[in-house]
Amino acid sequence: MPVARLIIALWATLFFSMTPAGAHHILGRPSYSLNSEPNTPPSMQLETRIGDYLVTLMAFPAFPQAGEESWVKLSATHLDHGEPFLGRVIFSIRDDLLLGGHSEKLGEQRPVDGIYRQGVLLSQEGNYVVTARFEDNGEPYTIEMPLRIGQPLQSLPLLLAGGGIGLILLALAWRKQHLRKIRQKKIDQPPQVTDA
């Protein structure tokens, strides 16, 4: 039994010591001082060439939290003449799930100085996908960007690996104990005497 307890204690120590690290500084500035107009990099930036446009999509602040307003900014520049797109852009958001997910329209925006700004306020932490749609000359454009609300789950693979190792150790300890009981039972049984 002491070996099984030692293994369980070791596994529990390793498993519970792997808590997610919380970073709250970017480039030496506390993340809580970042707002919709930061001079530091956004949490996510996507730049893509789609059709006739070069589209940039960004999310602020660096670490959006549940219950706090964050911003998504979009700019689209025509590849031929460099003029910004000035039509309307529709923003929506959905859960980042493998099979579908609930989608909700965030709003329809017009540009201010060539930048579209859409506020995002979510009450639950999780992984989401922000979608921006616009049309130019009858051609539809759709851009999607992942958005994490809340602390990133960077230690999830480590937790899963630690949990898997812990389960294997528990199974081995149980099997060893079970085999020991079977051996002890055979030793404790008196030899059967047969009548001749």
Side-chain angles (χ1 to χ4, degrees), residues 3-193:
V3 174
R5 287 184 183 163
L6 181 66
I7 289 172
I8 292 171
L10 180 64
W11 172 78
T13 303
L14 288 173
F15 185 75
F16 291 113
S17 66
M18 292 186 286
T19 58
H24 67 284
H25 283 75
I26 296 177
L27 302 176
R29 270 184 69 191
S31 63
Y32 49 77
S33 69
L34 301 178
N35 57 25
S36 63
E37 300 296 336
N39 57 4
T40 56
S43 66
M44 176 65 73
Q45 181 171 345
L46 181 141
E47 189 172 273
T48 184
R49 181 179 169 174
I50 178 169
D52 294 334
Y53 286 93
L54 177 65
V55 179
T56 303
L57 200 57
M58 295 176 276
F60 296 94
F63 303 104
Q65 298 298 317
E68 296 177 6
E69 188 170 42
S70 54
W71 293 88
V72 174
K73 295 182 181 179
L74 178 139
S75 64
T77 307
H78 201 279
L79 290 171
D80 291 340
H81 48 74
E83 292 293 319
F85 177 71
L86 298 176
R88 63 187 176 92
V89 175
I90 299 170
F91 291 91
S92 61
I93 193 165
R94 64 178 165 83
D95 298 325
D96 189 11
L97 300 175
L98 189 60
L99 300 173
H102 175 69
S103 180
E104 185 175 326
K105 183 179 176 181
L106 292 171
E108 189 174 316
Q109 302 298 326
R110 294 264 177 200
V112 176
D113 298 328
I115 306 289
Y116 296 83
R117 293 172 176 83
Q118 176 62 55
V120 179
L121 180 61
L122 296 168
S123 61
Q124 293 184 351
E125 291 188 355
N127 295 317
Y128 298 92
V129 175
V130 174
T131 304
R133 291 186 175 89
F134 62 92
E135 261 188 44
D136 187 43
N137 292 328
E139 189 170 339
Y141 292 85
T142 302
I143 303 99
E144 292 187 333
M145 180 180 76
L147 178 66
R148 170 72 194 169
I149 300 291
Q151 292 292 327
L153 300 175
Q154 296 173 350
S155 62
L156 184 60
L158 289 175
L159 289 174
L160 291 177
I165 291 170
L167 288 176
I168 290 170
L169 291 175
L170 283 174
L172 290 174
W174 178 82
R175 180 167 170 79
K176 185 175 181 180
Q177 183 181 5
H178 184 70
L179 290 175
R180 185 179 297 153
K181 282 182 181 176
I182 290 174
R183 271 189 235 124
Q184 189 64 37
K185 235 183 212 178
K186 286 181 180 177
I187 292 172
D188 291 344
Q189 279 182 346
Q192 294 187 2
V193 180

